[in-house]
Amino acid sequence: MAGRLPENTRTVALTGHGGSGKTSLAEAMAFDTGVTTRLGKVEDGNTLSDFGAEEKKRQISINTSVLTLDHAGKRYYILDCPGYADFIGDLRSAMRVSDGTVIVVSGVDGVEVQTEKAWDFAEEMGLTVAFYINKMDRDNADFSRTLSDIRRYLSDKAVPLFLPIGQEANFKGVIDVLSQKAYVYKADGSKEFKEEEIPQDLAQEASDAREELLERIVEADDELMMRYLDGEELALDELLPALKKAVKERKLFPVLPGSSTLNVGVLQLLDTIASLFPSPLDMPPRKALKGEEEIEVAPDPNGPFTALCFKIMVDPYVGKLSFLRVFSGKLTSDRPIYNVSKGEEERISAFKMMKGKDGDDEKEIIVGDIVAIPKLHSTAVGDTLAEKGTDIIFPPIKFPKPVYSVAVLPKSRNDEDKLASALSKLLEEDPTLHFEKNAETHDSVLSGMGDVHLDIMLSRIKERYGVDLETQTPKVPYRETIKKSSKAQGKYKKQSGGRGQYGDVHIEFQPLPRGTGFEFEDRIVGGAVPKSYIPAVEKGLREAMQKGVLAGYPTVDVKAILFFGSYHEVDSSEMAFKIAASMAFKKGIKEASPVLLEPIMNVEVVVPEEYLGDVMGDFNSRRGKIMGIDSRGRLQVVKAQVPLAEMFRYAIILRSMTSGRGNFTMEFSHYEEVPHDIAKKIIAQAQVEEEEE
Ligand SMILES: Nc1nc2c(ncn2[C@@H]2O[C@H](COP(=O)(O)OP(=O)(O)OP(=O)(O)O)[C@@H](O)[C@H]2O)c(=O)[nH]1
Ligand SMILES: [Mg+2]
């Protein structure tokens, strides 16, 4: 479309619980606007937005897909977000670049966990919201029950703009509450419908709903309110701007019924988005940094070109696609583009307006647009792109921290290099995926948002990059320390024929406070150990500490004082003193009440009240200490300290314990002594492993 006007753009995220019907809705929207000529089905694996192999296999959305639709003079960017909790990173980034969201709620299941999540994010980001009550054709679908659910759990400002005509098998169409018109569909997947009189049995309900809607609209406009109270009949063209204002100011959240798979009510939803959702020009200026200075970037089509990268997709055939949202200005594809966050120039090969997997090329992009650019090399998720010379950076997208980890090992040793390059690509694509080589345990640890997330990453590594990985529970980076002081002599002497070896040290070992590490003190007087050998003594100790005396874990929080020793004019050497020091270490530490230390994590769990007891009881069984409980709105926040060893499967356990309603974060706090009986097992295990080696 040449010369598109940004006031005609609507950028909308479809959000909601897994399986509520977002992808089916996006498909119906694409069909109704002529982008596709066949209404695909999630079950048949032929929808526009669930095009990935894993998506087809699992029949869930894993990635946000963008559908660019042109309809009745409007340009819609529909961002079909995944609903499954493991892919919440994609949900956040899509909402960050949308101007409004349609929260899809199943008319059968009502408000669910991820419905609440989408609502919370929309509140946090101040987005316009409409609720689409889907699956109205299914057994047990109930519009008014779902509406009360929404009002009770999310917002009492949810107001129907449309009512269903019939429900379950009798669901046939929708009633426009404001204009009091009925639209009766063929309900066969086609978009055919007829305008009809409101059925007799729904007339009262429809007029009550209109009354309620009018009251809510005039609340947003004092002048209309006066006239309404005076009993004046208000015209539609007066009500619409007031309604639009109320929706924009989040004083009213429109509710619409529908069935995505039967394609009922979808056109009304598109029209509602067109008439009530903000255009990019209606959006408030966005906060940004210009150098050190905080500024605001207005959504001005004539301002400087700025855009945010919110997603990267790597397709084995097409290669890398970077998805941008334009926040101000415009740009033609023959101009250079500049990655301000990285300070690097990028080359534009094409602007692709996506329709699922593929897209159509356009020459110009303008404020409000969602565009994919192939083969940008340095651009990562969260980077700001602009025209060269515009030194503006938008705040990065906030992603949740990973909660679930596995240790990975290539089944074939030769795949180490391939794995490294596969990981670097995957990490670029998915900011909720983390990888770390643990320096203490030597584990390669892959972390993400849950077991399904990591499963999908592992199969991607296998299918895309041909690396087969074995997984294990990550090892705990235990450490060792001492509880009392000791003194020990280490004497290394070999004097039989030729040049001998001689080193002799007396060392005192003292415990240090937690987290201090290692200290070495030289208290030699009178040259009992010559100055030149003292660094060798320290080095010998540091090396010996790497493999503790109990179970081979690093020894920490120990002070070693070298206070006496002896040497031999000819036979002493640095090597001999190093060995003597390590002998003193082994003897001395064993006599200083050595103990095992384990990492303790600060864990914060957020759950609805009804799960509080279960969560606390579970922490008891994990050797956890409850540090405090606060309430946050309708939720309870439990703070606890729990050993890392007890936390590896917690993401999965918490999810099943709370039917997915609980969330947690975890970070390292400190090291603490392992209880005696558990330490005994760890030490025995280490001895077995030592012997096997
Ligand atoms: N009967 C009926 N089934 C529906 C409707 N909408 C979706 N479904 C079915 O519900 C299932 C889930 O639909 P999706 O469109 O994949 O739901 P989603 O919200 O995209 O799911 P995720 O992306 O995994 O969060 C599929 O089997 C759909 O065919 C509807 O209006 N009526
Ligand atoms: Mg989906």
Side-chain angles (χ1 to χ4, degrees):
M1 254 200 326
R4 280 186 296 109
L5 297 174
E7 52 261 48
N8 291 327
T9 300
R10 300 290 180 271
T11 303
V12 183
L14 303 185
T15 61
H17 196 76
S20 56
K22 302 172 290 293
T23 299
S24 308
L25 175 61
E27 186 71 11
M29 287 173 157
F31 178 77
D32 291 354
T33 55
V35 163
T36 172
T37 51
R38 171 192 65 181
L39 187 67
K41 279 203 188 115
V42 173
E43 289 86 342
D44 298 344
N46 58 357
T47 59
L48 276 184
S49 42
D50 282 358
F51 57 82
E54 284 284 337
E55 296 183 311
K56 289 184 187 177
K57 190 174 109 197
R58 294 173 192 255
Q59 300 193 358
I60 58 170
S61 302
I62 292 167
N63 286 292
T64 297
S65 292
V66 178
L67 300 184
T68 310
L69 315 176
D70 291 310
H71 174 66
K74 293 282 187 293
R75 158 68 55 100
Y76 297 86
Y77 295 109
I78 301 296
L79 282 70
D80 173 19
C81 302
Y84 200 80
D86 283 33
F87 312 114
I88 197 157
D90 251 48
L91 175 67
R92 271 199 83 91
S93 52
M95 291 182 82
R96 167 79 185 270
V97 297
S98 298
D99 298 332
T101 177
V102 172
I103 300 183
V104 179
V105 187
S106 156
V108 180
D109 305 303
V111 170
E112 297 170 89
V113 186
Q114 297 302 313
T115 329
E116 292 178 7
K117 242 334 100 72
W119 169 256
D120 289 346
F121 289 173
E123 284 233 291
E124 180 192 329
M125 301 178 193
L127 297 185
T128 296
V129 173
F131 293 101
Y132 179 73
I133 300 187
N134 189 35
K135 302 195 183 180
M136 283 307 302
D137 61 299
R138 279 257 315 261
D139 281 357
N140 295 319
D142 188 329
F143 183 76
S144 32
R145 185 189 64 219
T146 311
L147 175 64
S148 354
D149 236 29
I150 293 173
R151 286 182 168 168
R152 173 156 165 231
Y153 295 114
L154 308 180
S155 170
D156 58 4
K157 296 179 200 142
V159 188
L161 284 193
F162 288 82
L163 294 176
I165 303 176
Q167 48 194 24
E168 304 179 277
N170 297 319
F171 180 59
K172 283 204 290 283
V174 295
I175 295 170
D176 183 337
V177 171
L178 207 52
S179 68
Q180 295 283 297
K181 284 180 186 154
Y183 303 112
V184 178
Y185 276 76
K186 270 193 164 169
D188 58 355
S190 74
K191 56 178 176 179
E192 310 280 310
F193 66 83
K194 279 194 299 216
E195 194 183 313
E196 289 184 10
E197 289 292 305
I198 294 178
Q200 273 302 312
D201 58 331
L202 291 175
Q204 188 59 45
E205 194 188 325
S207 99
D208 290 350
R210 184 166 196 270
E211 233 21 64
E212 187 193 2
L213 178 59
L214 286 189
E215 277 169 26
R216 296 298 188 107
I217 296 175
V218 298
E219 268 171 28
D221 187 311
D222 291 346
E223 196 224 305
L224 282 183
M225 174 71 105
M226 304 273 277
R227 292 168 49 204
Y228 176 76
L229 291 178
D230 285 346
E232 202 179 308
E233 188 59 34
L234 301 167
L236 263 186
D237 57 356
E238 287 182 292
L239 287 168
L240 268 178
L243 174 57
K244 184 167 180 178
K245 183 163 166 264
V247 170
K248 183 178 169 218
E249 289 172 358
R250 310 185 81 250
K251 290 182 177 148
L252 192 158
F253 302 107
V255 180
L256 301 90
S259 163
S260 304
T261 42
L262 297 184
N263 197 1
V264 175
V266 177
L267 278 166
Q268 283 73 24
L269 177 62
L270 280 169
D271 289 346
T272 301
I273 294 170
S275 58
L276 299 182
F277 271 43
S279 87
L281 305 185
D282 297 325
M283 295 305 286
R286 308 221 170 216
K287 287 200 167 57
L289 281 179
K290 190 174 169 63
E292 304 273 279
E293 185 196 349
E294 273 191 30
I295 59 157
E296 293 200 323
V297 178
D300 179 359
N302 300 312
F305 171 80
T306 64
L308 181 75
C309 173
F310 67 95
K311 177 160 188 67
I312 285 180
M313 206 177 79
V314 180
D315 184 280
Y317 306 107
V318 186
K320 181 168 152 188
L321 281 176
S322 306
F323 286 74
L324 311 186
R325 149 88 195 220
V326 183
F327 281 138
S328 67
K330 45 169 135 7
L331 192 75
T332 48
S333 55
D334 52 359
R335 309 268 307 173
I337 196 169
Y338 192 70
N339 183 326
V340 190
S341 311
K342 296 271 158 65
E344 270 181 52
E345 195 132 343
E346 290 271 24
R347 225 185 64 78
I348 302 170
S349 50
F351 289 146
K352 297 220 163 278
M353 314 319 272
M354 299 304 282
K355 293 171 177 162
K357 184 160 78 170
D358 309 307
D360 297 334
D361 289 8
E362 265 174 36
K363 290 233 150 47
E364 187 184 59
I365 51 173
I366 190 159
V367 58
D369 282 352
I370 300 281
V371 62
I373 306 181
K375 301 192 171 64
L376 294 183
H377 66 268
S378 68
T379 299
V381 173
D383 285 359
T384 301
L385 289 110
E387 243 178 320
K388 196 159 186 176
T390 310
D391 130 52
I392 287 174
I393 293 186
F394 293 106
I397 301 169
K398 271 190 240 151
F399 288 102
K401 286 201 186 130
V403 293
Y404 183 70
S405 302
V406 292
V408 294
L409 193 75
K411 285 193 180 147
S412 145
R413 280 268 155 136
N414 306 330
D415 282 350
E416 297 266 358
D417 290 348
K418 266 210 261 170
L419 175 64
S421 96
L423 279 173
S424 81
K425 293 206 180 91
L426 286 179
L427 293 173
E428 219 175 55
E429 240 178 286
D430 183 348
T432 58
L433 187 69
H434 288 234
F435 179 76
E436 190 199 33
K437 187 119 194 161
N438 189 299
E440 283 178 31
T441 62
H442 307 292
D443 270 346
S444 296
V445 182
L446 198 60
S447 310
M449 303 310 299
D451 50 342
V452 177
H453 182 209
L454 290 190
D455 260 12
I456 287 171
M457 291 303 144
L458 293 176
S459 54
R460 207 171 274 181
I461 291 172
K462 185 171 172 187
E463 269 149 39
R464 231 194 249 172
Y465 305 101
V467 184
D468 212 355
L469 291 172
E470 230 169 82
T471 62
Q472 284 166 349
T473 304
K475 292 192 202 76
V476 178
Y478 292 109
R479 291 180 180 171
E480 300 183 11
T481 193
I482 51 173
K483 290 179 78 168
K484 60 176 211 206
S485 298
S486 70
K487 284 182 183 161
Q489 179 187 15
K491 186 166 182 177
Y492 182 56
K493 187 172 160 191
K494 250 195 186 156
Q495 288 169 317
S496 52
R499 193 186 155 188
Q501 296 282 356
Y502 188 93
D504 173 27
V505 290
H506 290 244
I507 297 174
E508 177 173 352
F509 297 96
Q510 295 175 347
L512 285 177
R514 223 28 86 248
T516 334
F518 174 65
E519 276 173 25
F520 175 75
E521 194 184 322
D522 165 21
R523 267 196 213 154
I524 292 294
V525 282
V529 176
K531 273 264 171 292
S532 59
Y533 294 133
I534 285 173
V537 174
E538 181 173 352
K539 200 158 171 228
L541 287 170
R542 283 188 187 274
E543 278 178 20
M545 284 177 64
Q546 292 313 310
K547 209 165 173 337
V549 300
L550 285 178
Y553 293 102
T555 308
V556 295
D557 304 337
V558 170
K559 179 166 182 169
I561 301 163
L562 173 64
F563 64 91
F564 189 66
S566 64
Y567 69 104
H568 185 276
E569 283 295 350
V570 182
D571 293 344
S572 277
S573 66
E574 283 185 11
M575 179 53 85
F577 271 100
K578 250 176 80 174
I579 295 172
S582 88
M583 290 164 73
F585 174 85
K586 281 188 190 127
K587 236 161 67 191
I589 296 293
K590 273 188 190 142
E591 281 159 22
S593 301
V595 289
L596 268 189
L597 296 175
E598 64 178 341
I600 305 292
M601 310 303 282
N602 277 327
V603 181
E604 198 176 298
V605 186
V606 183
V607 283
E609 174 100 52
E610 65 252 48
Y611 302 108
L612 192 59
D614 287 348
V615 166
M616 303 213 331
D618 176 73
F619 272 143
N620 269 333
S621 73
R622 289 176 198 282
R623 304 191 277 128
K625 271 197 276 270
I626 307 285
M627 310 301 282
I629 301 165
D630 297 320
S631 50
R632 190 183 293 166
R634 55 184 192 276
L635 300 169
Q636 299 288 319
V637 183
V638 185
K639 291 192 177 137
Q641 290 194 332
V642 192
L644 174 65
E646 304 285 340
M647 288 300 290
F648 285 120
R649 292 183 58 77
Y650 194 65
I652 298 166
I653 285 156
L654 180 67
R655 205 176 276 176
S656 81
M657 195 161 50
T658 63
S659 324
R661 297 188 115 86
N663 283 299
F664 81 105
T665 55
M666 165 166 107
E667 60 184 17
F668 171 75
S669 167
H670 63 279
Y671 270 87
E672 241 172 53
E673 190 180 333
V674 179
H676 184 69
D677 47 332
I678 296 173
K680 244 166 70 182
K681 283 188 205 140
I682 299 167
I683 292 166
Q685 176 67 26
Q687 274 161 359
V688 171
E689 278 166 25
E690 174 96 41
E691 276 158 26
E692 278 173 5
E693 269 176 30

